[in-house]
Amino acid sequence: MSNTIVETVEGQTEVFKPNPEDLAIGIDIGGTGMKGGVVDIRTGNLVSERFRIPTPSPATPEACAEVVVQIVEELQSRELAPAPDSSIGIDFPAVVKNGITLSAANVDESWVGADLEGIMSAALGGRRVHALNDADAAGLAEAHYGVGRDHGGLIAVITLGTGIGSALINEGNLIPNTELGHLEIDGHDAESRASARAREREDLSWKKYGKRLQRYFTHVEMLFSPDLFVIGGGISKNPQKFLPYFEDDVRTPIVMATLRNNAGIVGAALWAAGWDHTND
Ligand code: BGC
């Protein structure tokens, strides 16, 4: 996996070894694991194996910063590594505005108002950090490299997991922090009824869960009229279980995410590289 395979115009494959400036580190902070990888930003591929450490408990900003340092040290020491002064991208499962985490729906309360970028950057000896919401990272990755790559218009990426995450990408541009998992539908916070965890918690049949997704997706469609829905999260591995129960009721085409577990890492790396390459 150490080289990037690129399809040439003639349809043949060639191997191009990436230069350090083609690479960026992305880190995905989740409820159970913190995962990092070195991403070739030309293709969205990881150039080596990702590195995962369980999320500390309690997952305070300081405890997470220690783990981030370990992940960066490991990835930076690899044969294919980005320039040591390049920005690090980090995604986090909450609203992230100007580097500050403003909510904590499924994470430690101490994150509300925490300076994620500042804390991580200080722990990393001043290296620049650019942070964004987890679903925004996954959505960016899908829109740029994954299933939305050749799709214009408005793409709505909805991740179904512990919560419901959302990303809106219009003509390749992210509209951050949309938090559509917290739409109030029929008097309920949407994610409390339609996340993958809600299905498990209430032991719902796929049919019943499909009905909830129908209510959710038709509502989001009515509000935003996207051109494409992308469903992410572990559940997207088995669309046949739930999609047949609501696909026909939604006008917008629905596809499953393709980058799976790495979408957050890839999107965070792309986000960070975007800042570094702004003046290229
Ligand atoms: C949070 C979002 C997050 C989503 C998925 C929601 O509970 O409010 O910020 O993107 O979960 O992790």
Side-chain angles (χ1 to χ4, degrees):
M1 260 218 293
S2 64
N3 289 321
T4 296
I5 298 171
V6 179
E7 188 113 346
T8 61
V9 191
E10 296 81 32
Q12 287 161 354
T13 47
E14 273 185 21
V15 177
F16 293 104
K17 197 168 176 177
N19 294 313
E21 61 272 19
D22 299 321
L23 303 174
I25 290 178
I27 298 176
D28 174 66
I29 302 185
T32 53
M34 294 175 57
K35 301 169 290 194
V38 180
V39 178
D40 185 332
I41 55 166
R42 299 170 305 175
T43 59
N45 291 334
L46 265 64
V47 296
S48 55
E49 231 164 82
R50 61 186 198 167
F51 184 59
R52 180 185 189 277
I53 295 181
T55 306
S57 176
T60 59
E62 293 68 28
C64 291
E66 282 179 28
V67 176
V68 163
V69 170
Q70 290 176 53
I71 293 174
V72 172
E73 277 174 359
E74 156 67 26
L75 296 176
Q76 195 62 53
S77 73
R78 292 193 176 171
E79 189 199 337
L80 284 178
D85 62 348
S86 62
S87 294
I88 305 282
I90 301 185
D91 79 30
F92 192 79
V95 173
V96 184
K97 181 100 180 142
N98 300 323
I100 315 279
T101 42
L102 297 180
S103 65
N106 293 305
V107 290
D108 197 86
E109 278 292 312
S110 58
W111 278 98
V112 180
D115 179 3
L116 191 160
E117 286 182 1
I119 293 167
M120 298 301 170
S121 177
L124 291 165
R127 192 161 172 176
R128 277 164 305 159
V129 170
H130 293 288
L132 77 168
N133 169 266
D134 62 347
D136 282 344
L140 260 188
E142 288 296 343
H144 280 259
Y145 306 112
V147 73
R149 196 174 54 171
D150 299 316
H151 214 283
L154 178 64
I155 302 180
V157 181
I158 304 292
T159 63
L160 302 171
T162 307
I164 294 182
S166 65
L168 290 184
I169 295 110
N170 192 40
E171 301 292 351
N173 296 311
L174 174 71
I175 303 159
N177 293 310
T178 43
E179 291 291 322
L180 302 184
H182 298 295
L183 284 171
E184 188 182 316
I185 301 179
D186 303 329
H188 299 276
D189 186 28
E191 76 172 20
S192 73
R193 307 260 303 163
S195 65
R197 183 163 75 180
R199 187 191 70 83
E200 286 163 10
R201 194 184 52 229
E202 296 183 45
D203 200 15
L204 297 175
S205 66
W206 286 105
K207 188 174 180 185
K208 280 206 171 121
Y209 183 56
K211 287 278 151 231
R212 291 194 181 180
L213 290 178
Q214 175 200 34
R215 184 79 188 94
Y216 182 69
F217 278 92
T218 52
H219 192 73
V220 174
E221 176 175 67
M222 183 266 291
L223 292 174
F224 295 97
S225 301
D227 296 289
L228 181 71
F229 272 125
V230 179
I231 299 184
I235 206 170
S236 60
K237 273 184 271 178
N238 296 307
Q240 70 285 0
K241 289 193 168 156
F242 57 88
L243 203 53
Y245 296 115
F246 71 98
E247 195 174 22
D248 291 346
D249 301 308
V250 183
R251 285 190 315 274
T252 312
I254 305 175
V255 293
M256 298 302 123
T258 49
L259 298 170
R260 299 272 148 77
N261 266 334
N262 291 333
I265 295 174
V266 173
L270 175 65
W271 184 246
W275 290 92
D276 285 355
H277 293 264
T278 316
N279 299 316
D280 284 0

